[in-house]
Amino acid sequence: MEKAHHLYQRLHALPMSRDAYGLIHMDLHPWNFFYHDGEIVPFDFDDCLYSWFIADIATALYYITHIRRYFRNPKIGLTI
C-alpha cells in the first residue's frame, strides 16, 4: 500500500497544463484508426477520458509490441 500511495502522489504531482493534459482517445490501436493522406484519423471514441497526452502514446506503443507478436505467430501465418 505504501508503494501504491507513493506512486499515486507522484502521478498527481505531474503537470496538468493544457500542453500536457486533456481529453485523450485512450484506446488508440490499429483497429481504431485509419491512415489517410499522411495523417492518422482515429475513430471509436467510447473510451475517451481526461488524462496526460503521453498516455495515448504509451497505449499505442503497447499495442504495437503485442500486435507484432500476434502476427509472428506461426498458427496465423502472417508476418509484419
Side-chain angles (χ1 to χ4, degrees):
M1 285 301 287
E2 185 178 324
K3 286 182 181 183
H5 180 69
H6 178 69
L7 180 58
Y8 180 83
Q9 287 179 320
R10 288 187 63 193
L11 286 172
H12 283 276
L14 293 172
M16 295 177 77
S17 67
R18 292 181 133 191
D19 295 333
Y21 191 91
L23 185 62
I24 64 170
H25 189 278
M26 200 53 206
D27 193 25
L28 200 55
H29 56 71
W31 295 279
N32 279 348
F33 68 82
F34 292 116
Y35 188 72
H36 180 72
D37 290 337
E39 292 188 24
I40 293 174
V41 181
F43 58 90
D44 188 14
F45 293 91
D46 60 330
D47 290 328
C48 285
L49 53 85
Y50 284 91
S51 187
W52 290 272
F53 298 135
I54 194 72
D56 262 347
I57 296 168
T59 301
L61 291 173
Y62 169 81
Y63 279 110
I64 287 169
T65 60
H66 290 295
I67 288 168
R68 290 182 67 95
R69 275 189 238 141
Y70 174 80
F71 284 112
R72 286 183 181 152
N73 184 335
K75 292 179 183 175
I76 297 169
L78 300 172
T79 302
I80 59 169

